[in-house]
Amino acid sequence: MNAAAPTSSPPLLSRPPHYQMLGGDAGVARLVEAFYRHMDTRPDARGIRTMHEPDLSSTRAVLVLYLREWLGGPRDYSAERGHPRLRMRHAGFAIGEAERDAWLACMRAALIEVGADAALQAELMTAFFKTADWMRNTVTRGDAAAPSVPHSITTKDSP
């Protein structure tokens, strides 16, 4: 008697989360360190740097927690701080296109500095753009209005 062929298909190979692709906890910490180093040194980031305390220790720690979770790692941010509520937490800061673009430029430079794979950089920058654009709360450069929901457009090339 012939054995019946298996009826189930093989499991799909899932891709590791961005968290693992960046190198886990150590990779996220390196990314955050590089990000704030660029924020401290880039002339186009002066405006967003002044929105932060002079000592970035606690800010770095919070961003590490947040990015670990956002990238698919441990959910410690939510456990410690609750829902991110990013717009509410940033409502006290004037965020327009210039601030969004400076933040993105620092993050792009950080991803390059830590040696993130080009495809991963592209994926993350697309996601970062959507979030950063959604954070805008001021009208700048002739915009009709700041967006109320993220839109799906590609990132701008920036240094």
Side-chain angles (χ1 to χ4, degrees), residues 23-41:
D25 284 351
V28 174
R30 281 191 309 274
L31 179 66
V32 169
E33 287 300 316
F35 172 77
Y36 284 115
R37 188 171 33 263
H38 287 283
M39 188 184 289
D40 274 338
T41 59

Side-chain angles (χ1 to χ4, degrees), residues 1-76:
M1 180 167 219
N2 292 338
T7 56
S8 64
S9 57
L12 294 176
L13 296 176
S14 64
R15 198 174 72 163
H18 293 133
Y19 168 78
Q20 287 177 345
M21 295 170 74
L22 274 173
D25 284 351
V28 174
R30 281 191 309 274
L31 179 66
V32 169
E33 287 300 316
F35 172 77
Y36 284 115
R37 188 171 33 263
H38 287 283
M39 188 184 289
D40 274 338
T41 59
R42 292 178 65 104
D44 60 335
R46 278 189 203 120
I48 61 172
R49 179 57 179 96
T50 62
M51 295 177 184
H52 295 76
E53 295 292 326
D55 179 1
L56 291 170
S57 300
S58 63
T59 304
R60 280 186 187 107
V62 170
L63 185 57
V64 166
L65 275 178
Y66 175 77
L67 286 179
R68 286 172 63 209
E69 184 168 325
W70 186 79
L71 292 165
R75 299 186 49 81
D76 298 333

